[in-house]
Amino acid sequence: MKKIINDPAAVVGDALRGMAAAHPELLRVRTDPALIVRADAPQAGRVALISGGGSGHEPLHGGFVGPGMLTAAVPGAVFTSPTPDAVQAAIAEAEAGAGALLLVKNYTGDVLNFETAAELAGLEGTDVRAVIVDDDVAVKDSTHTAGRRGVGGTVLVEKIVGAAVERGVDLAGCEAIARRVVGRVRSMGVALTGPTVPHAGTPSFTLVDDEVEIGIGIHGEPGRERIPLENADGLVARLLEPILADLPFEAGDEVLLFTNSMGTTPLIELYLAHGVAERLLAERGVRVRRRLVGPYTTSLDMQGMSLTLLKLDDELTELWDDPVRTAALHW
């Protein structure tokens, strides 16, 4: 294992301190328990929008804390859910009377711990609601979850609901928008290599030189199938077909296309794949109205990519276009 780290057991805390040093104008960081909060939080009259999960997926979620997106993020250990007390601490630090909305990727530990924290905060008088993100079409059940996994679509949910929060939409309205986005977003990924967790020191899985894994999760979970390596046209088609069939997406639909690196896939390959996806969608009569390309939902040093499609309407497009200023996303 070659990584730029000190103690493998201290990677998350060390990274959080570095993040705080890099972005003091945007956020503040706690390390016990670990949480990342907007520098200007709490904001009276505004819903607290909180997400989180295991570390190793950066910039998800801490890189999306700031105006127009998350109020707070709760990072667990690498590929490990944050504890309920950490989520409770984030709610207490971020919420200012308008309630809190938790955006939770569909992994068993995340769901249990965030919902436990919501119940405990509710007993103290805070209105806390949770929306589960489950956009991965690859499998119904996997190593870490009952039902579909939450993957790249989480970024789109966080951005769109974050814009609603910034506009002053109330808790019920923000929850409804989150559920709408979850219902309209689908994803699927492919791995060329497995990720290496620092404290493990070896890849989560191995592939021979001419193999890829189709339909992987963001923790190195197995996918639908292991196949011989294909060219970009073939791989992109294998990801798009099940996405298009699942919602389904149809000719005339307008979409946001998110082409995501799983960690070490370079932009030259990612842009190439994005161009293929745009061409294939155009052949289906699906219009790409908005785009996002880059490493936004990663799996440590995994080489691979994922595609996410969100079926847009005018309101969702306007919320996507609203200003955002975070460490990883800004316009």
Side-chain angles (χ1 to χ4, degrees):
M1 179 178 71
K2 293 182 180 179
K3 291 185 179 293
I4 302 172
I5 60 175
N6 292 314
D7 179 358
V11 167
V12 173
D14 289 348
L16 287 175
R17 283 184 282 273
M19 189 176 193
H23 304 289
E25 76 288 356
L26 285 177
L27 48 84
R28 60 182 185 268
V29 169
R30 305 280 184 262
T31 56
D32 188 21
L35 54 98
I36 304 161
V37 187
R38 274 179 64 160
D40 58 357
Q43 293 185 301
R46 295 281 177 87
V47 172
L49 186 64
I50 301 169
S51 192
S55 296
H57 308 302
E58 290 73 20
L60 194 76
H61 299 270
F64 302 130
V65 172
M69 217 157 169
L70 294 175
T71 315
V74 193
V78 174
F79 291 0
T80 304
S81 303
T83 60
D85 67 299
V87 180
Q88 264 192 288
I91 295 169
E93 190 148 342
E95 198 275 334
L101 181 62
L102 310 182
L103 301 178
V104 188
K105 301 190 305 301
N106 190 32
Y107 297 95
T108 302
D110 288 5
V111 172
L112 289 174
N113 291 349
F114 274 81
E115 289 187 346
T116 297
E119 291 171 4
L120 294 171
L123 293 175
E124 296 174 355
T126 304
D127 190 353
V128 183
R129 307 182 190 185
V131 173
I132 308 301
V133 183
D134 57 353
D135 55 307
D136 188 3
V137 305
V139 291
K140 181 179 178 181
D141 298 293
S142 72
T143 310
H144 294 80
T145 184
R148 292 180 167 179
R149 304 174 292 215
V151 288
T154 312
V155 177
L156 312 189
V157 180
E158 291 177 355
K159 168 61 185 80
I160 289 170
V161 182
V165 169
E166 206 70 29
R167 290 183 178 192
V169 176
D170 66 12
L171 181 58
C174 287
E175 180 185 12
I177 291 169
R179 294 192 186 282
R180 256 177 70 210
V181 178
V182 170
R184 299 165 72 99
V185 67
R186 301 290 188 273
S187 301
M188 191 164 174
V190 59
L192 283 67
T193 66
T196 300
V197 177
H199 63 259
T202 56
S204 301
F205 60 87
T206 57
L207 296 165
V208 299
D209 288 346
D210 64 346
E211 278 185 330
V212 297
E213 183 93 13
I214 299 289
I216 43 80
I218 57 174
H219 305 95
E221 307 98 317
R224 283 187 172 186
E225 57 182 336
R226 190 167 290 190
I227 64 167
L229 176 64
E230 297 179 334
N231 64 15
D233 284 6
L235 291 177
V236 170
R238 283 184 182 272
L239 299 184
L240 269 183
E241 288 299 329
I243 292 172
L244 290 167
D246 192 86
L247 195 56
F249 293 86
E250 300 170 336
D253 284 341
E254 296 187 326
V255 301
L256 188 160
L257 169 61
F258 171 27
T259 305
N260 174 64
S261 167
M262 301 303 296
T264 60
T265 297
L267 276 171
I268 189 171
E269 296 176 29
L270 210 60
Y271 280 126
L272 190 157
H274 182 87
V276 173
E278 290 234 12
R279 172 171 54 81
L280 294 176
L281 289 169
E283 290 172 359
R284 293 288 198 96
V286 176
R287 179 191 169 202
V288 179
R289 188 172 179 184
R290 295 292 184 272
R291 300 150 178 90
L292 183 67
V293 181
Y296 295 108
T297 304
T298 64
S299 181
L300 291 170
D301 54 353
M302 180 190 288
Q303 187 179 357
M305 61 170 288
S306 62
L307 294 177
T308 297
L309 281 186
L310 168 64
K311 186 179 290 192
L312 291 170
D313 57 29
D314 288 342
E315 182 185 21
L316 296 184
T317 304
E318 289 173 5
L319 289 168
W320 176 260
D321 287 346
D322 273 6
V324 59
R325 183 167 175 258
T326 70
L329 208 63
H330 42 84
W331 55 73

mmCIF file of all heavy atoms in Angstrom, residues 99-144:
data_model
loop_
_atom_site.group_PDB
_atom_site.id
_atom_site.type_symbol
_atom_site.label_atom_id
_atom_site.label_comp_id
_atom_site.label_asym_id
_atom_site.label_seq_id
_atom_site.Cartn_x
_atom_site.Cartn_y
_atom_site.Cartn_z
ATOM 1 N N GLY A 99 -36.201 23.051 12.309
ATOM 2 C CA GLY A 99 -36.154 21.613 12.085
ATOM 3 C C GLY A 99 -34.942 21.202 11.277
ATOM 4 O O GLY A 99 -34.188 22.033 10.765
ATOM 5 N N ALA A 100 -34.748 19.892 11.168
ATOM 6 C CA ALA A 100 -33.597 19.340 10.459
ATOM 7 C C ALA A 100 -34.053 18.236 9.519
ATOM 8 O O ALA A 100 -34.931 17.433 9.850
ATOM 9 C CB ALA A 100 -32.568 18.782 11.441
ATOM 10 N N LEU A 101 -33.460 18.210 8.328
ATOM 11 C CA LEU A 101 -33.714 17.158 7.359
ATOM 12 C C LEU A 101 -32.429 16.369 7.163
ATOM 13 O O LEU A 101 -31.381 16.935 6.830
ATOM 14 C CB LEU A 101 -34.175 17.749 6.026
ATOM 15 C CG LEU A 101 -34.499 16.735 4.918
ATOM 16 C CD1 LEU A 101 -35.658 15.828 5.325
ATOM 17 C CD2 LEU A 101 -34.827 17.463 3.613
ATOM 18 N N LEU A 102 -32.501 15.058 7.376
ATOM 19 C CA LEU A 102 -31.350 14.173 7.218
ATOM 20 C C LEU A 102 -31.448 13.464 5.867
ATOM 21 O O LEU A 102 -32.463 12.838 5.560
ATOM 22 C CB LEU A 102 -31.308 13.132 8.340
ATOM 23 C CG LEU A 102 -31.445 13.652 9.778
ATOM 24 C CD1 LEU A 102 -31.339 12.485 10.760
ATOM 25 C CD2 LEU A 102 -30.399 14.721 10.077
ATOM 26 N N LEU A 103 -30.404 13.581 5.060
ATOM 27 C CA LEU A 103 -30.320 12.865 3.788
ATOM 28 C C LEU A 103 -29.402 11.675 3.999
ATOM 29 O O LEU A 103 -28.209 11.845 4.268
ATOM 30 C CB LEU A 103 -29.784 13.782 2.697
ATOM 31 C CG LEU A 103 -30.602 15.054 2.440
ATOM 32 C CD1 LEU A 103 -29.938 15.905 1.369
ATOM 33 C CD2 LEU A 103 -32.043 14.718 2.059
ATOM 34 N N VAL A 104 -29.941 10.469 3.873
ATOM 35 C CA VAL A 104 -29.237 9.261 4.304
ATOM 36 C C VAL A 104 -29.104 8.294 3.139
ATOM 37 O O VAL A 104 -30.101 7.870 2.556
ATOM 38 C CB VAL A 104 -29.994 8.578 5.463
ATOM 39 C CG1 VAL A 104 -29.161 7.443 6.037
ATOM 40 C CG2 VAL A 104 -30.374 9.582 6.547
ATOM 41 N N LYS A 105 -27.874 7.923 2.797
ATOM 42 C CA LYS A 105 -27.656 6.890 1.790
ATOM 43 C C LYS A 105 -28.142 5.554 2.342
ATOM 44 O O LYS A 105 -27.966 5.255 3.522
ATOM 45 C CB LYS A 105 -26.175 6.796 1.411
ATOM 46 C CG LYS A 105 -25.596 8.089 0.855
ATOM 47 C CD LYS A 105 -24.206 7.913 0.271
ATOM 48 C CE LYS A 105 -23.188 7.307 1.202
ATOM 49 N NZ LYS A 105 -22.988 8.096 2.454
ATOM 50 N N ASN A 106 -28.704 4.736 1.481
ATOM 51 C CA ASN A 106 -29.328 3.497 1.939
ATOM 52 C C ASN A 106 -28.300 2.394 2.197
ATOM 53 O O ASN A 106 -28.099 1.486 1.381
ATOM 54 C CB ASN A 106 -30.371 3.007 0.931
ATOM 55 C CG ASN A 106 -31.188 1.858 1.508
ATOM 56 O OD1 ASN A 106 -31.427 1.798 2.712
ATOM 57 N ND2 ASN A 106 -31.617 0.942 0.648
ATOM 58 N N TYR A 107 -27.654 2.509 3.347
ATOM 59 C CA TYR A 107 -26.805 1.451 3.892
ATOM 60 C C TYR A 107 -27.302 1.181 5.301
ATOM 61 O O TYR A 107 -27.666 2.119 6.023
ATOM 62 C CB TYR A 107 -25.324 1.858 3.882
ATOM 63 C CG TYR A 107 -24.820 2.065 2.495
ATOM 64 C CD1 TYR A 107 -24.803 3.324 1.924
ATOM 65 C CD2 TYR A 107 -24.404 0.983 1.724
ATOM 66 C CE1 TYR A 107 -24.377 3.515 0.623
ATOM 67 C CE2 TYR A 107 -23.972 1.161 0.418
ATOM 68 C CZ TYR A 107 -23.969 2.436 -0.127
ATOM 69 O OH TYR A 107 -23.556 2.612 -1.421
ATOM 70 N N THR A 108 -27.336 -0.066 5.695
ATOM 71 C CA THR A 108 -28.003 -0.464 6.932
ATOM 72 C C THR A 108 -27.522 0.342 8.132
ATOM 73 O O THR A 108 -28.319 0.859 8.915
ATOM 74 C CB THR A 108 -27.811 -1.968 7.182
ATOM 75 O OG1 THR A 108 -28.334 -2.690 6.064
ATOM 76 C CG2 THR A 108 -28.523 -2.401 8.440
ATOM 77 N N GLY A 109 -26.205 0.469 8.298
ATOM 78 C CA GLY A 109 -25.677 1.209 9.440
ATOM 79 C C GLY A 109 -26.056 2.670 9.407
ATOM 80 O O GLY A 109 -26.441 3.258 10.433
ATOM 81 N N ASP A 110 -25.963 3.305 8.234
ATOM 82 C CA ASP A 110 -26.339 4.712 8.113
ATOM 83 C C ASP A 110 -27.804 4.912 8.484
ATOM 84 O O ASP A 110 -28.156 5.825 9.240
ATOM 85 C CB ASP A 110 -26.111 5.206 6.689
ATOM 86 C CG ASP A 110 -24.640 5.377 6.337
ATOM 87 O OD1 ASP A 110 -23.782 5.027 7.174
ATOM 88 O OD2 ASP A 110 -24.349 5.852 5.230
ATOM 89 N N VAL A 111 -28.664 4.081 7.925
ATOM 90 C CA VAL A 111 -30.103 4.232 8.171
ATOM 91 C C VAL A 111 -30.411 4.083 9.662
ATOM 92 O O VAL A 111 -31.115 4.903 10.263
ATOM 93 C CB VAL A 111 -30.902 3.218 7.326
ATOM 94 C CG1 VAL A 111 -32.379 3.244 7.730
ATOM 95 C CG2 VAL A 111 -30.753 3.531 5.847
ATOM 96 N N LEU A 112 -29.882 3.042 10.286
ATOM 97 C CA LEU A 112 -30.150 2.809 11.709
ATOM 98 C C LEU A 112 -29.630 3.951 12.574
ATOM 99 O O LEU A 112 -30.332 4.458 13.467
ATOM 100 C CB LEU A 112 -29.525 1.486 12.153
ATOM 101 C CG LEU A 112 -30.186 0.207 11.633
ATOM 102 C CD1 LEU A 112 -29.356 -1.009 12.031
ATOM 103 C CD2 LEU A 112 -31.606 0.084 12.153
ATOM 104 N N ASN A 113 -28.405 4.394 12.324
ATOM 105 C CA ASN A 113 -27.793 5.394 13.189
ATOM 106 C C ASN A 113 -28.392 6.773 12.989
ATOM 107 O O ASN A 113 -28.583 7.519 13.961
ATOM 108 C CB ASN A 113 -26.278 5.417 12.960
ATOM 109 C CG ASN A 113 -25.617 4.153 13.470
ATOM 110 O OD1 ASN A 113 -26.221 3.350 14.172
ATOM 111 N ND2 ASN A 113 -24.360 3.941 13.115
ATOM 112 N N PHE A 114 -28.697 7.145 11.751
ATOM 113 C CA PHE A 114 -29.333 8.443 11.526
ATOM 114 C C PHE A 114 -30.753 8.460 12.075
ATOM 115 O O PHE A 114 -31.194 9.463 12.653
ATOM 116 C CB PHE A 114 -29.325 8.786 10.035
ATOM 117 C CG PHE A 114 -28.069 9.470 9.573
ATOM 118 C CD1 PHE A 114 -26.926 8.739 9.289
ATOM 119 C CD2 PHE A 114 -28.018 10.843 9.423
ATOM 120 C CE1 PHE A 114 -25.761 9.360 8.865
ATOM 121 C CE2 PHE A 114 -26.864 11.490 8.998
ATOM 122 C CZ PHE A 114 -25.724 10.748 8.719
ATOM 123 N N GLU A 115 -31.484 7.371 11.904
ATOM 124 C CA GLU A 115 -32.858 7.342 12.416
ATOM 125 C C GLU A 115 -32.873 7.316 13.945
ATOM 126 O O GLU A 115 -33.745 7.916 14.571
ATOM 127 C CB GLU A 115 -33.613 6.157 11.822
ATOM 128 C CG GLU A 115 -33.910 6.364 10.330
ATOM 129 C CD GLU A 115 -34.800 5.293 9.739
ATOM 130 O OE1 GLU A 115 -34.985 4.229 10.385
ATOM 131 O OE2 GLU A 115 -35.308 5.506 8.617
ATOM 132 N N THR A 116 -31.910 6.639 14.561
ATOM 133 C CA THR A 116 -31.806 6.675 16.026
ATOM 134 C C THR A 116 -31.542 8.093 16.498
ATOM 135 O O THR A 116 -32.167 8.576 17.464
ATOM 136 C CB THR A 116 -30.671 5.754 16.505
ATOM 137 O OG1 THR A 116 -30.976 4.399 16.139
ATOM 138 C CG2 THR A 116 -30.492 5.842 18.012
ATOM 139 N N ALA A 117 -30.631 8.787 15.829
ATOM 140 C CA ALA A 117 -30.332 10.173 16.197
ATOM 141 C C ALA A 117 -31.557 11.062 16.015
ATOM 142 O O ALA A 117 -31.821 11.947 16.846
ATOM 143 C CB ALA A 117 -29.174 10.704 15.355
ATOM 144 N N ALA A 118 -32.314 10.835 14.952
ATOM 145 C CA ALA A 118 -33.521 11.626 14.715
ATOM 146 C C ALA A 118 -34.542 11.411 15.838
ATOM 147 O O ALA A 118 -35.171 12.363 16.317
ATOM 148 C CB ALA A 118 -34.131 11.258 13.367
ATOM 149 N N GLU A 119 -34.689 10.165 16.264
ATOM 150 C CA GLU A 119 -35.627 9.869 17.350
ATOM 151 C C GLU A 119 -35.188 10.532 18.650
ATOM 152 O O GLU A 119 -36.014 11.112 19.376
ATOM 153 C CB GLU A 119 -35.744 8.357 17.539
ATOM 154 C CG GLU A 119 -36.439 7.646 16.387
ATOM 155 C CD GLU A 119 -36.351 6.137 16.504
ATOM 156 O OE1 GLU A 119 -35.813 5.640 17.532
ATOM 157 O OE2 GLU A 119 -36.806 5.442 15.575
ATOM 158 N N LEU A 120 -33.902 10.472 18.944
ATOM 159 C CA LEU A 120 -33.397 11.079 20.176
ATOM 160 C C LEU A 120 -33.551 12.595 20.148
ATOM 161 O O LEU A 120 -33.932 13.210 21.145
ATOM 162 C CB LEU A 120 -31.932 10.688 20.388
ATOM 163 C CG LEU A 120 -31.683 9.201 20.663
ATOM 164 C CD1 LEU A 120 -30.189 8.891 20.649
ATOM 165 C CD2 LEU A 120 -32.302 8.790 22.002
ATOM 166 N N ALA A 121 -33.272 13.204 18.994
ATOM 167 C CA ALA A 121 -33.446 14.646 18.871
ATOM 168 C C ALA A 121 -34.921 15.023 18.975
ATOM 169 O O ALA A 121 -35.278 16.059 19.547
ATOM 170 C CB ALA A 121 -32.866 15.141 17.552
ATOM 171 N N GLY A 122 -35.785 14.157 18.434
ATOM 172 C CA GLY A 122 -37.220 14.403 18.535
ATOM 173 C C GLY A 122 -37.706 14.401 19.969
ATOM 174 O O GLY A 122 -38.589 15.190 20.347
ATOM 175 N N LEU A 123 -37.136 13.522 20.789
ATOM 176 C CA LEU A 123 -37.507 13.480 22.210
ATOM 177 C C LEU A 123 -37.125 14.777 22.925
ATOM 178 O O LEU A 123 -37.706 15.115 23.954
ATOM 179 C CB LEU A 123 -36.827 12.287 22.888
ATOM 180 C CG LEU A 123 -37.299 10.904 22.444
ATOM 181 C CD1 LEU A 123 -36.458 9.814 23.096
ATOM 182 C CD2 LEU A 123 -38.778 10.700 22.777
ATOM 183 N N GLU A 124 -36.126 15.478 22.372
ATOM 184 C CA GLU A 124 -35.704 16.749 22.955
ATOM 185 C C GLU A 124 -36.448 17.940 22.349
ATOM 186 O O GLU A 124 -36.126 19.091 22.640
ATOM 187 C CB GLU A 124 -34.197 16.924 22.764
ATOM 188 C CG GLU A 124 -33.376 15.862 23.499
ATOM 189 C CD GLU A 124 -31.892 15.956 23.180
ATOM 190 O OE1 GLU A 124 -31.519 16.789 22.319
ATOM 191 O OE2 GLU A 124 -31.115 15.203 23.800
ATOM 192 N N GLY A 125 -37.425 17.647 21.477
ATOM 193 C CA GLY A 125 -38.263 18.710 20.943
ATOM 194 C C GLY A 125 -37.887 19.222 19.570
ATOM 195 O O GLY A 125 -38.494 20.188 19.090
ATOM 196 N N THR A 126 -36.925 18.613 18.898
ATOM 197 C CA THR A 126 -36.525 19.062 17.566
ATOM 198 C C THR A 126 -37.256 18.246 16.509
ATOM 199 O O THR A 126 -37.303 17.021 16.586
ATOM 200 C CB THR A 126 -35.002 18.900 17.366
ATOM 201 O OG1 THR A 126 -34.325 19.614 18.394
ATOM 202 C CG2 THR A 126 -34.578 19.457 16.010
ATOM 203 N N ASP A 127 -37.824 18.937 15.518
ATOM 204 C CA ASP A 127 -38.501 18.255 14.418
ATOM 205 C C ASP A 127 -37.438 17.793 13.418
ATOM 206 O O ASP A 127 -36.829 18.606 12.722
ATOM 207 C CB ASP A 127 -39.478 19.216 13.740
ATOM 208 C CG ASP A 127 -40.403 18.505 12.742
ATOM 209 O OD1 ASP A 127 -40.202 17.299 12.488
ATOM 210 O OD2 ASP A 127 -41.320 19.171 12.205
ATOM 211 N N VAL A 128 -37.198 16.489 13.378
ATOM 212 C CA VAL A 128 -36.169 15.927 12.507
ATOM 213 C C VAL A 128 -36.811 14.880 11.606
ATOM 214 O O VAL A 128 -37.524 13.994 12.078
ATOM 215 C CB VAL A 128 -35.029 15.272 13.320
ATOM 216 C CG1 VAL A 128 -33.940 14.765 12.383
ATOM 217 C CG2 VAL A 128 -34.452 16.260 14.319
ATOM 218 N N ARG A 129 -36.553 14.996 10.323
ATOM 219 C CA ARG A 129 -37.073 14.033 9.354
ATOM 220 C C ARG A 129 -35.922 13.468 8.535
ATOM 221 O O ARG A 129 -34.893 14.120 8.378
ATOM 222 C CB ARG A 129 -38.107 14.700 8.452
ATOM 223 C CG ARG A 129 -39.197 15.400 9.256
ATOM 224 C CD ARG A 129 -40.255 16.017 8.405
ATOM 225 N NE ARG A 129 -41.140 16.873 9.193
ATOM 226 C CZ ARG A 129 -42.226 17.470 8.714
ATOM 227 N NH1 ARG A 129 -42.576 17.294 7.451
ATOM 228 N NH2 ARG A 129 -42.972 18.243 9.501
ATOM 229 N N ALA A 130 -36.106 12.272 8.008
ATOM 230 C CA ALA A 130 -35.052 11.612 7.240
ATOM 231 C C ALA A 130 -35.592 11.159 5.895
ATOM 232 O O ALA A 130 -36.726 10.670 5.788
ATOM 233 C CB ALA A 130 -34.504 10.415 8.014
ATOM 234 N N VAL A 131 -34.791 11.332 4.860
ATOM 235 C CA VAL A 131 -35.097 10.837 3.516
ATOM 236 C C VAL A 131 -33.966 9.907 3.094
ATOM 237 O O VAL A 131 -32.786 10.269 3.186
ATOM 238 C CB VAL A 131 -35.247 11.995 2.514
ATOM 239 C CG1 VAL A 131 -35.401 11.450 1.097
ATOM 240 C CG2 VAL A 131 -36.442 12.874 2.877
ATOM 241 N N ILE A 132 -34.318 8.716 2.649
ATOM 242 C CA ILE A 132 -33.345 7.707 2.245
ATOM 243 C C ILE A 132 -33.082 7.822 0.737
ATOM 244 O O ILE A 132 -34.028 7.860 -0.053
ATOM 245 C CB ILE A 132 -33.850 6.288 2.565
ATOM 246 C CG1 ILE A 132 -34.297 6.195 4.041
ATOM 247 C CG2 ILE A 132 -32.784 5.250 2.241
ATOM 248 C CD1 ILE A 132 -33.224 6.513 5.040
ATOM 249 N N VAL A 133 -31.806 7.863 0.361
ATOM 250 C CA VAL A 133 -31.417 7.912 -1.048
ATOM 251 C C VAL A 133 -31.034 6.507 -1.489
ATOM 252 O O VAL A 133 -30.153 5.874 -0.892
ATOM 253 C CB VAL A 133 -30.230 8.874 -1.262
ATOM 254 C CG1 VAL A 133 -29.883 8.965 -2.746
ATOM 255 C CG2 VAL A 133 -30.554 10.254 -0.693
ATOM 256 N N ASP A 134 -31.680 6.011 -2.559
ATOM 257 C CA ASP A 134 -31.451 4.626 -3.001
ATOM 258 C C ASP A 134 -31.472 4.561 -4.532
ATOM 259 O O ASP A 134 -32.304 3.894 -5.118
ATOM 260 C CB ASP A 134 -32.488 3.675 -2.395
ATOM 261 C CG ASP A 134 -33.921 4.063 -2.715
ATOM 262 O OD1 ASP A 134 -34.142 5.154 -3.306
ATOM 263 O OD2 ASP A 134 -34.841 3.276 -2.406
ATOM 264 N N ASP A 135 -30.514 5.220 -5.148
ATOM 265 C CA ASP A 135 -30.541 5.422 -6.596
ATOM 266 C C ASP A 135 -29.845 4.346 -7.417
ATOM 267 O O ASP A 135 -29.937 4.342 -8.642
ATOM 268 C CB ASP A 135 -29.922 6.782 -6.938
ATOM 269 C CG ASP A 135 -28.511 6.956 -6.366
ATOM 270 O OD1 ASP A 135 -28.356 6.764 -5.156
ATOM 271 O OD2 ASP A 135 -27.586 7.294 -7.130
ATOM 272 N N ASP A 136 -29.117 3.419 -6.788
ATOM 273 C CA ASP A 136 -28.315 2.437 -7.526
ATOM 274 C C ASP A 136 -29.201 1.340 -8.116
ATOM 275 O O ASP A 136 -29.839 0.582 -7.378
ATOM 276 C CB ASP A 136 -27.278 1.828 -6.575
ATOM 277 C CG ASP A 136 -26.271 0.942 -7.285
ATOM 278 O OD1 ASP A 136 -26.335 0.849 -8.532
ATOM 279 O OD2 ASP A 136 -25.423 0.360 -6.602
ATOM 280 N N VAL A 137 -29.213 1.225 -9.442
ATOM 281 C CA VAL A 137 -30.066 0.221 -10.091
ATOM 282 C C VAL A 137 -29.376 -1.129 -10.223
ATOM 283 O O VAL A 137 -29.977 -2.090 -10.704
ATOM 284 C CB VAL A 137 -30.516 0.689 -11.498
ATOM 285 C CG1 VAL A 137 -31.204 2.036 -11.429
ATOM 286 C CG2 VAL A 137 -29.347 0.734 -12.478
ATOM 287 N N ALA A 138 -28.105 -1.230 -9.801
ATOM 288 C CA ALA A 138 -27.337 -2.448 -10.078
ATOM 289 C C ALA A 138 -27.900 -3.669 -9.374
ATOM 290 O O ALA A 138 -27.991 -4.751 -9.964
ATOM 291 C CB ALA A 138 -25.874 -2.247 -9.676
ATOM 292 N N VAL A 139 -28.227 -3.533 -8.098
ATOM 293 C CA VAL A 139 -28.707 -4.673 -7.326
ATOM 294 C C VAL A 139 -29.832 -4.234 -6.402
ATOM 295 O O VAL A 139 -29.925 -3.072 -6.015
ATOM 296 C CB VAL A 139 -27.582 -5.305 -6.475
ATOM 297 C CG1 VAL A 139 -26.548 -5.991 -7.355
ATOM 298 C CG2 VAL A 139 -26.920 -4.265 -5.597
ATOM 299 N N LYS A 140 -30.671 -5.192 -6.023
ATOM 300 C CA LYS A 140 -31.743 -4.889 -5.081
ATOM 301 C C LYS A 140 -31.232 -4.923 -3.654
ATOM 302 O O LYS A 140 -31.585 -4.095 -2.827
ATOM 303 C CB LYS A 140 -32.894 -5.893 -5.254
ATOM 304 C CG LYS A 140 -34.064 -5.625 -4.313
ATOM 305 C CD LYS A 140 -35.197 -6.618 -4.526
ATOM 306 C CE LYS A 140 -36.334 -6.353 -3.546
ATOM 307 N NZ LYS A 140 -37.440 -7.316 -3.703
ATOM 308 N N ASP A 141 -30.399 -5.907 -3.334
ATOM 309 C CA ASP A 141 -29.823 -6.041 -2.001
ATOM 310 C C ASP A 141 -28.330 -6.313 -2.153
ATOM 311 O O ASP A 141 -27.893 -6.926 -3.114
ATOM 312 C CB ASP A 141 -30.464 -7.197 -1.224
ATOM 313 C CG ASP A 141 -31.948 -6.973 -0.996
ATOM 314 O OD1 ASP A 141 -32.298 -6.050 -0.261
ATOM 315 O OD2 ASP A 141 -32.742 -7.737 -1.580
ATOM 316 N N SER A 142 -27.541 -5.848 -1.175
ATOM 317 C CA SER A 142 -26.099 -6.036 -1.281
ATOM 318 C C SER A 142 -25.510 -6.277 0.095
ATOM 319 O O SER A 142 -26.225 -6.398 1.090
ATOM 320 C CB SER A 142 -25.453 -4.806 -1.921
ATOM 321 O OG SER A 142 -25.453 -3.717 -1.017
ATOM 322 N N THR A 143 -24.185 -6.296 0.148
ATOM 323 C CA THR A 143 -23.479 -6.588 1.394
ATOM 324 C C THR A 143 -23.879 -5.674 2.528
ATOM 325 O O THR A 143 -24.010 -6.095 3.674
ATOM 326 C CB THR A 143 -21.956 -6.454 1.147
ATOM 327 O OG1 THR A 143 -21.620 -7.201 -0.020
ATOM 328 C CG2 THR A 143 -21.164 -6.973 2.335
ATOM 329 N N HIS A 144 -24.078 -4.388 2.225
ATOM 330 C CA HIS A 144 -24.271 -3.394 3.277
ATOM 331 C C HIS A 144 -25.702 -2.881 3.393
ATOM 332 O O HIS A 144 -25.966 -1.986 4.196
ATOM 333 C CB HIS A 144 -23.365 -2.182 3.015
ATOM 334 C CG HIS A 144 -21.910 -2.489 3.115
ATOM 335 N ND1 HIS A 144 -21.203 -3.094 2.098
ATOM 336 C CD2 HIS A 144 -21.016 -2.266 4.112
ATOM 337 C CE1 HIS A 144 -19.935 -3.221 2.454
ATOM 338 N NE2 HIS A 144 -19.798 -2.739 3.658
#
